[in-house]
Amino acid sequence: MSWVFLILAGLFEMTGVTMINSWHKKRNWQSLFLLIGGFGASFIFLALAMKELPMGTAYAVWTGIGAAGGAILGMILYGEPKDVKRIFFIAMVLSAAIGLKLVS
């Protein structure tokens, strides 16, 4: 269950990061609410995951999901560059997170 909590934490981290960009563009209450809610839920699920998972593994996977997911959402939602090198390095981040799951 701790890995499910960790994946949820990463997904909520992606929500928070995406809403930072939305907040800068729109400055509405919905963006602010989703920003605070996304990061709040992310930290709660990260704390739950860390009850069973080592801190280093949990933090590395959480930041990997958030960083890679934020970059992917930036490409999809905000028209950020989609060049092959960028996608390759995002895949490397995700591969490292999966690797940590396999060795834990």
Side-chain angles (χ1 to χ4, degrees), residues 3-24:
W3 283 100
V4 172
F5 289 149
L6 189 56
I7 291 169
L8 287 171
L11 294 174
F12 280 113
E13 178 78 3
M14 289 169 48
T15 301
V17 168
T18 303
M19 289 300 106
I20 289 173
N21 197 12
S22 180
W23 169 251
H24 284 296

Side-chain angles (χ1 to χ4, degrees), residues 72 75 81-93:
I72 291 168
M75 288 187 273
K82 299 175 181 84
D83 59 75
V84 174
K85 290 182 273 187
R86 189 167 188 201
I87 293 169
F88 172 75
F89 288 114
I90 291 169
M92 284 181 61
V93 170

